[in-house]
Amino acid sequence: MKFPSISILVLVTIFTYSCKKSSPPEEYNAKASDPKIFHATTTQLTDVIIHDIFKPPVASRIYSYSFLAAYEALVPGYPEFQSLAGQINKFTASPKPEPGAAYCFPLASIKAFTVVGRTLTFSGNLWDDYEKGLFQKYEEMGIPEDVYKRSIAYGDTVAKHVLAHASKDHYKEIRGFRYTVTNEPGTWVPTPPAYADACEPMWNTVRTFALDSVTQFRCPPPAKYDLNKNSPFMKLAMEVYNIGKNLTEEQKATAYFWDDNAFVTNVVGHAMFANKKMTPAGHWLAIIKNVTSEKKLNLMQVNEAYTLGALSLFDAFVSCWDEKYRSVRIRPETVINNNWDPNWRPFLETPAFPEYVSGHSTISAACGTVLTKLIGDNVAFTDTTEKKYGHGVKSFKSFKDAYVDASISRVYGGIHYRDGVEEGTNLGEKIGQNVLNRVITRKSGKVVAAAK
């Protein structure tokens, strides 16, 4: 008797699966809870974000919803932790697992993460091969077929819940909005070499996660634009100019290490090309990967750090962007070129948005503040995030040491004034602490630093 070829394939598949030996729950859950798998998948999301050239604020949105979905799908397996429903702005209760049914929640978590990450990015082809290998690992862990299917379905359901929440955050409504340059004295205008349009001028209208409003933490007004040589503003501008002309090798290395420009423009003669690189949010999430791996935190602790870190990064971008487009302060490059040195160029490419306050300073301090609470103060680490981009490695005494370094790097880079980075750091610390105050992951309400 001959079977059609398709029938043979089905029979072989059924036979192969039926021959797989199921493992007890404690065994397959232990394998599935290996944080290395989750770390690798977060790196995959970062690689896709870099490939798709998402702007830094948008990248922070993708990360936040992806980690939120992963957290919500994992939390039922950890009784000491709780859902973030009712804590995050407008976020309702996630679907619950079927009572009495067996699940592999780490599998559900990774499924939720990949569904949201794939949906919010463009290059589905970059997910195809990765997911095939990813889920094959789980299939080989001995998870019973019914548990496997139930866990995958649960992760998918949680992902859809988070995506429904994301669809109402006002992101879609501001796509394509163009900023109109006023050319008022002291205000931002596009800068060389690309003279790009302003980045996300309506980002302050996107719903936040933990902030009551984008104006909850307001920065003091920046130094008034005044070209008198003795004015506070001129002193700030001259400092950037003089530092830029006399950069030490260490200052150059610091500026380059924290550049994190998602799309760097290069001009050679009449040719222009661009390099894709890490985003600021991606850099800090990579720090989370490195430190939590070194400290051997468990999967739930890792997920907690990623999630709260990502939420702080997002809220920091929204608050910072609100200030940027309120003060609309001119960049140092424009002031210097228009008034006393047309040939001066900053060490880093000037980003396409107003100066005050520094985005790097704000988001770095926000995430660093969260990590200090979750992982510990004075936790020394070596950051290898930028090594593959040719920027080397840097060692830090603490998370605060790192975010202060990231902040001053923008002055070395010639793209921020000192008050822009200092006030950005102050703003970020407040936002990070607000996330810790508002978003409580532990049912006990207490977080004990994981590293001593």
Side-chain angles (χ1 to χ4, degrees), residues 39 288-297 379-382:
H39 286 314
I288 293 175
K289 172 188 173 182
N290 292 342
V291 177
T292 58
S293 296
E294 182 181 336
K295 300 303 178 185
K296 295 181 170 53
L297 302 192
V379 173
F381 65 96
T382 297

Side-chain angles (χ1 to χ4, degrees), residues 181-211:
V181 175
T182 66
N183 289 310
E184 291 290 325
T187 61
W188 177 84
V189 294
T191 50
Y195 296 95
D197 290 337
C199 169
E200 298 295 342
M202 296 294 289
W203 198 251
N204 67 336
T205 67
V206 179
R207 183 186 59 212
T208 58
F209 284 99
L211 290 171

Side-chain angles (χ1 to χ4, degrees), residues 123-141:
S123 299
N125 61 301
L126 297 182
W127 286 103
D128 292 339
D129 288 342
Y130 181 79
E131 288 188 30
K132 182 179 179 181
L134 172 67
F135 291 111
Q136 184 176 349
K137 291 178 183 177
Y138 289 98
E139 291 173 3
E140 294 170 352
M141 291 177 185

Side-chain angles (χ1 to χ4, degrees), residues 254-266:
T254 296
Y256 206 38
F257 184 81
W258 292 105
D259 185 17
D260 296 327
N261 187 338
F263 196 70
V264 181
T265 307
N266 301 280

Side-chain angles (χ1 to χ4, degrees), residues 73-305:
L74 183 63
V75 77
Y78 291 81
E80 68 271 30
F81 286 79
Q82 61 185 0
S83 167
L84 304 187
Q87 301 187 68
I88 290 174
N89 293 330
K90 305 292 185 181
F91 186 56
T92 59
S94 296
K96 299 291 188 294
E98 180 185 340
Y103 287 86
C104 177
F105 289 110
L107 171 58
S109 177
I110 208 85
K111 177 62 176 178
F113 183 88
T114 57
V115 169
V116 174
R118 174 189 280 267
T119 302
L120 298 183
T121 53
F122 299 142
S123 299
N125 61 301
L126 297 182
W127 286 103
D128 292 339
D129 288 342
Y130 181 79
E131 288 188 30
K132 182 179 179 181
L134 172 67
F135 291 111
Q136 184 176 349
K137 291 178 183 177
Y138 289 98
E139 291 173 3
E140 294 170 352
M141 291 177 185
I143 303 172
E145 183 179 5
D146 63 325
V147 176
Y148 184 94
K149 290 181 177 179
R150 189 181 301 116
S151 303
I152 287 287
Y154 180 63
D156 190 59
T157 300
V158 171
K160 290 176 180 176
H161 178 72
V162 171
L163 287 169
H165 175 68
S167 71
K168 300 174 184 177
D169 69 355
H170 201 247
Y171 171 75
K172 297 192 299 290
E173 288 79 357
I174 61 174
R175 296 304 85 213
F177 185 89
R178 298 284 294 276
Y179 178 77
T180 300
V181 175
T182 66
N183 289 310
E184 291 290 325
T187 61
W188 177 84
V189 294
T191 50
Y195 296 95
D197 290 337
C199 169
E200 298 295 342
M202 296 294 289
W203 198 251
N204 67 336
T205 67
V206 179
R207 183 186 59 212
T208 58
F209 284 99
L211 290 171
D212 293 333
S213 73
V214 294
T215 60
Q216 182 175 348
F217 303 110
R218 294 290 290 269
C219 298
K224 182 180 178 181
Y225 180 71
D226 183 351
L227 296 179
N228 183 298
K229 67 177 182 178
N230 293 318
S231 72
F233 177 82
M234 185 57 85
K235 290 178 181 178
L236 289 168
M238 286 302 300
E239 179 187 30
V240 176
Y241 177 65
N242 289 327
I243 287 175
K245 288 179 63 179
N246 300 282
L247 281 174
T248 66
E249 290 305 310
E250 182 178 357
Q251 289 171 331
K252 289 178 182 179
T254 296
Y256 206 38
F257 184 81
W258 292 105
D259 185 17
D260 296 327
N261 187 338
F263 196 70
V264 181
T265 307
N266 301 280
V267 179
V268 180
H270 296 290
M272 181 181 293
F273 63 96
N275 293 331
K276 301 176 183 179
K277 293 201 298 185
M278 179 71 77
T279 66
H283 191 148
W284 274 93
L285 293 166
I287 289 174
I288 293 175
K289 172 188 173 182
N290 292 342
V291 177
T292 58
S293 296
E294 182 181 336
K295 300 303 178 185
K296 295 181 170 53
L297 302 192
N298 66 38
L299 181 60
M300 192 69 233
Q301 292 172 315
V302 165
N303 214 300
E304 176 188 42

